[in-house]
Amino acid sequence: MRITTQSFDTLKDLDIYTIGLFEGEDLSEKHQLVDAACNGQLSYALKEDSFKAKLNKKMLLYTSGSTVFKRLLVIGLGKRDEYTTDKCRQVAATAVKELISLKKENVASEYLGGPALGKDFVNVLVEGFGMGAYTFNHYKSKDEENPEFVLEHIILSCKHDIQSSIKKGLTTAKAVNTARDLGNHPGNVATPTYLANAASEIAKAPNFKLTIFNREDFEKMGFGGIKGVSDGSDEPPKFIIMHYTGDEKDGKTLGLVGKGLTFDSGGISIKPPASMDEMKFDMLGGAAVLGIMQAVATMQPKLNIVAIVPSTENLLGAKAYKPGDILKAYNGKTIEVLNTDAEGRLILADALSYLTENFKVDGLVDFATLTGAVVVGLGHRYSAVISNNQDFADEIKSVSDFTHDKVWQLPLDEDFTEDIKSKIADVKNTGNGRAAGAITAGAFLQEFVKKGTPWCHIDIAGSGWNKSGKSYNPDGPTGVGVRLILELIDRWKKE
Ligand code: BES
Ligand code: ZN
Ligand code: ZN
């Protein structure tokens, strides 16, 4: 999608012009001009229609050729004093969905209430357009009579130079949509090799170095976690490392890890069949990391990033690892496997220890669809944060408040570490029965983060995909985590 700008008085030959109205307000001077251009249709409809400018409501008017646009699309913004950046993102998504369903090429929009926010809203508005336009029809046969309409271009009516905010918003939306695409492709397509290929495409950009470890390397590298989990699958596993150096000399370095489990059957501790198909989404942590790195490749921010996506399937078969097995992770700690379905923490153990033993990072964030417990605790709107460093957790929370990529912190202290101690190995891969399952998973991961590294684990098992979400989140993968980290990068990078 392209977004260009043009001032209102130079617009011409438009199929649709889009405006946003606040609930319970008289028409502004600018909207009075719009009303006059379409012979009072707008003020008439506002009186007669039930629209009332409620949030995310819409109304379509025809102008009978009285002006430079054939149709006027009116979007409700709700009450002015309740308007937020997230609502701006929502109404932009509502608008773009309507524009797409109308299948018209020449469309323009005004700011949809953005200026009422009193801060930089352009990238939020553009994010809403880009995220709201997302669809995934890759596996549907083409309907020749009714081809899918792709909206290529939106004109923003505006006098100012806002190109850099537009670029930022579009890059963010594209990264979110990349993460969604990776998630939507099923397990027989989005294999570990597919993720590795996606990483190598991204790593063609300047300042990237890509390293991939394969099954043959695991033993000599000491990656006992991913080796154990991948033993039951014929599909080649990949341990993907992307190293971006945007500021080699003295810039900050961010560590990222994403669980890339391309299908989780549970292994020998097999899952029940209902909803097992959804375990194709068990790589959404890895998808978020790849989406983030794609945006980094475009924006080339001045900081450094080490990103690791350990990727494999978790299946059952003659070579599969078994309950009772003991594995040794990269940092030498031994793990008693009590449930082969708690596999995510095993592959993350190698990734977190490899990253923190070999690179000095100022902060490390991992994303993982790690526990069913987090879905029970927080539902689908919040990701859980579990951290060893309160300042870093506070920073993530503040970025989350800003981006509306919502997180909520759960506690972590040494009492939880007791819950993951094993009688015969250093740790076990389950906690204390069902109690605090999301936290004991975090306590397990902490054992593999080198002491002194500020770290946040983000459990996205609930927030990773949706059945019905906000207008900018389609059914299926949400792309959670991408906006959060791109904003963190913005705050960490040098200008
Ligand atoms: N991938 C699952 C977690 C999951 C469950 C994600 C539901 C999304 C929705 C993970 O590998 C898993 O199975 N975790 C187990 C751990 C338990 C055996 C300690 C769980 O949460 O039940
Ligand atoms: Zn599992
Ligand atoms: Zn899993």
Side-chain angles (χ1 to χ4, degrees):
M1 183 188 287
R2 265 180 330 119
I3 296 184
T4 56
T5 56
Q6 208 176 310
S7 69
F8 181 70
D9 34 287
T10 64
L11 292 171
K12 58 175 194 290
D13 298 331
L14 287 176
D15 293 308
I16 309 167
Y17 186 62
T18 314
I19 64 170
L21 297 181
F22 284 110
E23 192 177 332
E25 293 189 4
D26 295 333
L27 288 181
S28 66
E29 242 168 68
K30 204 169 156 215
H31 290 152
Q32 284 176 23
L33 289 178
V34 173
D35 188 35
C38 51
N39 290 334
Q41 290 251 41
L42 175 60
S43 47
Y44 182 76
L46 285 173
K47 256 189 266 138
E48 297 300 318
D49 200 86
S50 61
F51 166 74
K52 307 287 179 235
K54 299 255 188 240
L55 182 67
N56 285 316
K57 292 270 176 247
K58 54 204 183 244
M59 182 167 76
L60 185 67
L61 306 175
Y62 287 79
T63 64
S64 332
S66 61
T67 181
V68 291
F69 45 92
K70 293 189 181 126
R71 297 169 190 73
L72 179 67
L73 174 61
V74 194
I75 304 289
L77 308 177
K79 297 208 172 72
R80 184 182 289 268
D81 58 358
E82 291 170 8
Y83 201 58
T84 60
T85 46
D86 198 55
K87 287 181 179 166
C88 183
R89 205 178 275 117
Q90 289 176 42
V91 297
T94 302
V96 81
K97 283 192 158 67
E98 188 64 16
L99 292 174
I100 290 170
S101 76
L102 293 165
K103 300 191 176 191
K104 295 290 172 207
E105 262 151 37
N106 301 314
V107 303
S109 175
E110 50 140 64
Y111 278 153
L112 306 179
L117 297 166
K119 49 186 164 226
D120 182 24
F121 56 86
V122 175
N123 73 70
V124 176
L125 184 77
V126 171
E127 272 173 32
F129 285 139
M131 291 171 72
Y134 181 78
T135 54
F136 187 79
N137 297 321
H138 193 84
Y139 296 98
K140 292 247 188 220
S141 302
K142 297 246 176 313
D143 179 350
E144 302 295 348
E145 271 157 37
N146 205 5
E148 191 185 351
F149 177 77
V150 180
L151 183 60
E152 305 273 2
H153 180 204
I154 300 177
I155 301 169
L156 264 182
S157 69
C158 155
K159 286 199 205 87
H160 310 284
D161 178 22
I162 51 171
Q163 276 313 318
S164 73
S165 297
I166 291 178
K167 181 176 177 200
K168 187 174 169 210
L170 281 178
T171 306
T172 302
K174 195 171 165 208
V176 167
N177 292 344
T178 294
R180 291 169 172 177
D181 271 349
L182 290 169
N184 270 316
H185 284 298
N188 61 337
V189 173
T191 58
T193 303
Y194 187 97
L195 298 188
N197 290 342
S200 85
E201 279 303 309
I202 293 165
K204 284 181 181 156
N207 301 316
F208 272 83
K209 182 171 166 256
L210 177 73
T211 309
I212 293 178
F213 291 116
N214 295 294
R215 199 193 294 279
E216 318 67 275
D217 307 315
F218 292 169
E219 202 148 340
K220 69 168 191 284
M221 291 302 296
F223 292 160
I226 191 169
K227 180 183 182 308
V229 176
S230 60
D231 273 348
S233 162
D234 266 352
E235 195 59 53
K238 302 281 170 186
F239 191 95
I240 306 164
I241 307 165
M242 306 177 84
H243 191 180
Y244 167 76
T245 27
D247 187 5
E248 204 153 8
K249 255 202 246 135
D250 54 358
K252 277 184 129 180
T253 300
L254 173 65
L256 292 174
V257 168
K259 174 179 174 184
L261 218 295
T262 58
F263 185 74
D264 182 11
S265 71
I268 300 292
S269 318
I270 193 166
K271 287 181 181 292
S275 306
M276 203 206 268
D277 61 295
E278 293 187 340
M279 285 300 118
K280 67 180 174 187
F281 295 144
D282 210 17
M283 36 60 75
L284 289 175
V289 168
L290 290 172
I292 293 161
M293 295 312 278
Q294 181 199 68
V296 166
T298 308
M299 303 299 276
Q300 295 284 316
K302 287 204 175 72
L303 86 170
N304 308 307
I305 304 176
V306 184
I308 301 189
V309 178
S311 183
T312 176
E313 297 179 326
N314 182 24
L315 296 185
L316 50 168
K319 292 192 182 142
Y321 78 135
K322 300 170 285 294
D325 286 0
I326 295 179
L327 310 175
K328 192 192 241 184
Y330 181 79
N331 69 350
K333 288 198 183 176
T334 54
I335 308 165
E336 182 187 12
V337 176
L338 289 180
N339 188 322
T340 63
D341 197 10
E343 84 299 334
R345 64 195 76 183
L346 302 174
I347 69 172
L348 292 172
D350 286 333
L352 294 170
S353 51
Y354 182 83
L355 200 155
T356 53
E357 305 278 340
N358 291 291
F359 299 89
K360 170 120 190 53
V361 294
D362 297 285
L364 167 63
V365 180
D366 77 74
F367 288 97
T369 46
L370 206 60
T371 65
V374 86
V375 192
V376 177
L378 291 179
H380 294 284
R381 295 187 181 85
Y382 278 83
S383 310
V385 173
I386 293 162
S387 179
N388 63 357
N389 181 305
Q390 196 52 44
D391 288 340
F392 193 36
D394 289 344
E395 186 175 17
I396 291 290
K397 177 70 170 74
S398 117
V399 173
S400 146
D401 290 344
F402 183 80
T403 55
H404 292 261
D405 198 341
K406 297 199 280 189
V407 303
W408 197 256
Q409 191 181 358
L410 301 178
L412 176 62
D413 63 33
E414 56 268 30
D415 289 349
F416 293 107
T417 301
E418 287 305 308
D419 293 342
I420 51 137
K421 290 216 165 122
S422 160
K423 291 205 177 76
I424 57 168
D426 296 331
V427 288
K428 58 185 166 99
N429 78 333
T430 55
N432 176 17
R434 280 156 56 89
I439 303 175
T440 52
F444 177 94
L445 295 181
Q446 180 175 228
E447 299 295 315
F448 302 91
V449 175
K450 192 175 171 187
K451 284 229 158 33
T453 310
W455 157 77
C456 284
H457 157 58
I458 306 193
D459 193 334
I460 57 169
S463 55
W465 70 97
N466 246 320
K467 293 212 171 77
S468 65
K470 290 182 179 167
S471 50
Y472 58 76
N473 278 339
D475 296 356
T478 53
V480 72
V482 173
R483 281 188 284 127
L484 183 78
I485 297 302
L486 290 181
E487 175 61 24
L488 182 72
I489 288 171
D490 241 41
R491 294 183 186 194
W492 276 27
K493 72 175 190 203
K494 281 194 208 137
E495 277 316 313

